[in-house]
Amino acid sequence: MAKGTWYRENYMISTSPELIQPEAVNAAFESDAIYWARGMEPEYLKKMLSKSLCFGVYALPESSSELAGRSDPPQIGFARVITDEVTFAYLTDVYVLEEHQGKGLGSWLVECVNEEFASWPHLRRVMLMANLKEGEAFYAKMGMSQFKQGENGFAILNKQGRGSAMPV
Ligand SMILES: CC(C)(COP(=O)(O)OP(=O)(O)OC[C@H]1O[C@@H](n2cnc3c(N)ncnc32)[C@H](O)[C@@H]1OP(=O)(O)O)[C@@H](O)C(=O)NCCC(=O)NCCS
């Protein structure tokens, strides 16, 4: 699995599977903010994470004393790509915890995901589902546009990759 790491101020984004904190992801899934998901039992959560390309967002301490006994920086955001890592990718479970929102982290996260996609020469298509109100504008930043509008206030967005042989 490809591993990337990006740094910005006191934050890090990483695709290292070892850094992902399943409890943090599950707590987010259980919260109202991640309205499309529910928490799940550890064995299913572990399987889901291990079979996805996961991007974790971590808040780095300004000094080692801030870690307060933790060996790892807290995970405050996430994006999950369901993929063969060559031709197709479905992006989901994108979030930044509320106390860290509004600092550009969400935009940076999808930029990092996009950078990963740009390095796949045979990528045909990226897809995701987003709400029409804010989601469409948010994902337009990574070149996603509407493929099909549903009747429930959501749309399927997509973009082609370098490996696509389709005209659109
Ligand atoms: C969407 C989300 C990841 C943005 O994170 P963030 O760190 O605040 O993002 P940024 O600071 O980079 O702001 C990016 C944009 O997100 C927009 N935004 C705020 N809430 C949003 C939401 N629920 N869905 C989509 N976009 C949202 C902001 O208006 C901002 O737009 P701007 O750049 O034109 O000002 C964050 O609000 C979140 O986790 N929301 C709850 C989960 C969610 O709805 N995820 C699905 C995203 S479609």
Side-chain angles (χ1 to χ4, degrees):
M1 198 165 261
K3 279 170 206 66
T5 309
W6 298 262
Y7 291 94
R8 202 180 115 169
E9 289 151 18
N10 289 336
Y11 293 94
M12 175 179 77
I13 291 178
S14 172
T15 56
S16 289
E18 314 82 59
L19 294 178
I20 293 289
Q21 294 157 20
E23 313 75 36
V25 173
N26 215 31
F29 283 3
E30 283 169 353
S31 74
D32 291 342
I34 315 306
Y35 57 85
W36 61 89
R38 293 199 184 104
M40 58 184 96
E41 299 85 347
E43 70 266 31
Y44 292 112
L45 187 68
K46 210 173 139 197
K47 186 170 182 179
M48 179 202 84
L49 294 169
S50 71
K51 291 188 177 287
S52 305
L53 172 59
C54 296
F55 290 71
V57 187
Y58 305 92
L60 302 174
E62 285 192 43
S63 71
S64 53
S65 61
E66 269 186 47
L67 270 172
R70 296 181 65 122
S71 58
D72 48 359
Q75 186 180 337
I76 58 94
F78 188 55
R80 185 166 74 88
V81 182
I82 305 165
T83 179
D84 59 12
E85 294 193 49
V86 177
T87 63
F88 180 75
Y90 182 83
L91 177 60
T92 188
D93 294 343
V94 175
Y95 69 79
V96 168
L97 293 185
E98 201 177 344
E99 55 271 39
H100 297 272
Q101 287 176 11
K103 297 177 182 176
L105 295 176
S107 307
W108 181 43
L109 175 58
V110 294
E111 268 169 39
C112 295
V113 172
N114 213 23
E115 199 177 305
E116 174 66 29
F117 290 154
S119 73
W120 298 3
H122 301 289
L123 178 65
R124 294 177 195 155
R125 199 170 293 269
V126 181
M127 300 189 91
L128 59 82
M129 202 164 162
N131 73 53
L132 291 168
K133 213 169 58 177
E134 297 147 317
E136 228 181 320
F138 180 69
Y139 290 112
K141 291 172 195 187
M142 60 179 288
M144 303 291 292
S145 62
Q146 203 177 105
F147 181 75
K148 188 166 174 41
Q149 186 168 331
E151 286 163 10
N152 54 359
F154 287 80
I156 296 171
L157 309 186
N158 87 135
K159 74 168 188 170
Q160 292 197 51
R162 283 187 278 154
S164 176
M166 296 276 285
V168 282

